Amino acid sequence: MRPIVPVIFAAIAFSSVARAEILSVKVPVANFRAGPSTSEPVEFTATRYYPVKVLEREGGWCKIKDFEGDLAWVADRLLARISTIVIKVPRGNVREGPTTSAEVAFQTERGEVFKVLDRKGRWLRVVNMGGDKGWVREDLAWGMKKTDNASGSS
């Protein structure tokens, strides 16, 4: 007789993966903690628009994974459905238009976050915390799925 446990485990694992979503920090600074409580130590902090993948929810807290693979807990009320990205490469160009032949508006570095304003093919129109706008190729960033549109709230 075959054990039933592996089948049940697989169904549970599939279910939690299907619910995973990407949310972003909606406050100026959020503390990411070792566990789901304000008494837990702060593992790291992140600024507005920092995207995270929600893996689990528990009592008003979200267990998250960030673009570097770090795991932590953050209060659910500090996150929102905002279309954002974080740069995952050491350096990248933010351009005036959605093409590599467009002028470079400014350069960005790994870890810089942007709110996504629009999408055109593989290009994302973004704005940083300082208000600088431009276009970034999606393969330089983490946070938006290829099927996402830039229609998140602010």
Side-chain angles (χ1 to χ4, degrees), residues 23-42:
L23 298 178
S24 301
V25 173
K26 69 177 183 179
V27 295
V29 178
N31 289 328
F32 288 79
R33 299 180 177 274
S37 167
T38 55
S39 63
E40 293 285 343
V42 174

Side-chain angles (χ1 to χ4, degrees), residues 23 34 47-48 57 63 83 93 98 104 106 115 126 142 144:
L23 298 178
T47 59
R48 186 183 320 262
R57 291 178 187 266
K63 182 177 185 181
S83 297
N93 291 326
V104 174
F106 58 97
K115 181 176 180 184
V126 297
W142 183 92
M144 272 187 75

Side-chain angles (χ1 to χ4, degrees), residues 22 40 51 55 109 124 144:
I22 295 178
E40 293 285 343
L55 304 175
E109 296 182 358
L124 304 171
M144 272 187 75

Side-chain angles (χ1 to χ4, degrees), residues 3 34 55 96 105 153:
L55 304 175
E96 295 286 343
S153 60

Side-chain angles (χ1 to χ4, degrees), residues 16-148:
S16 66
V17 169
R19 288 192 316 248
E21 65 181 321
I22 295 178
L23 298 178
S24 301
V25 173
K26 69 177 183 179
V27 295
V29 178
N31 289 328
F32 288 79
R33 299 180 177 274
S37 167
T38 55
S39 63
E40 293 285 343
V42 174
E43 296 289 315
F44 63 92
T45 60
T47 59
R48 186 183 320 262
Y49 301 150
Y50 189 76
V52 294
K53 183 176 188 176
V54 176
L55 304 175
E56 181 182 331
R57 291 178 187 266
E58 179 183 311
W61 290 83
C62 296
K63 182 177 185 181
I64 62 89
K65 184 177 187 178
D66 73 359
F67 82 107
E68 294 180 309
D70 293 332
L71 299 174
W73 290 84
V74 63
D76 181 70
R77 70 183 188 284
L78 304 179
L79 302 177
R81 282 185 180 88
I82 306 169
S83 297
T84 66
I85 58 167
V86 60
I87 300 301
K88 66 181 183 181
V89 296
R91 284 195 180 277
N93 291 326
V94 180
R95 298 188 175 268
E96 295 286 343
T99 174
T100 54
S101 62
E103 292 289 322
V104 174
F106 58 97
Q107 289 197 317
T108 185
E109 296 182 358
R110 179 180 173 84
E112 186 172 1
V113 295
F114 293 89
K115 181 176 180 184
V116 178
L117 304 173
D118 195 9
R119 172 189 287 278
K120 192 176 220 179
R122 293 181 28 204
W123 290 85
L124 304 171
R125 186 163 186 263
V126 297
V127 60
N128 67 13
M129 293 295 293
D132 299 318
K133 294 179 184 175
W135 292 85
V136 173
R137 256 191 11 238
E138 70 182 359
D139 61 333
L140 303 181
W142 183 92
M144 272 187 75
K145 296 179 216 137
K146 293 180 191 226
T147 57
D148 287 348

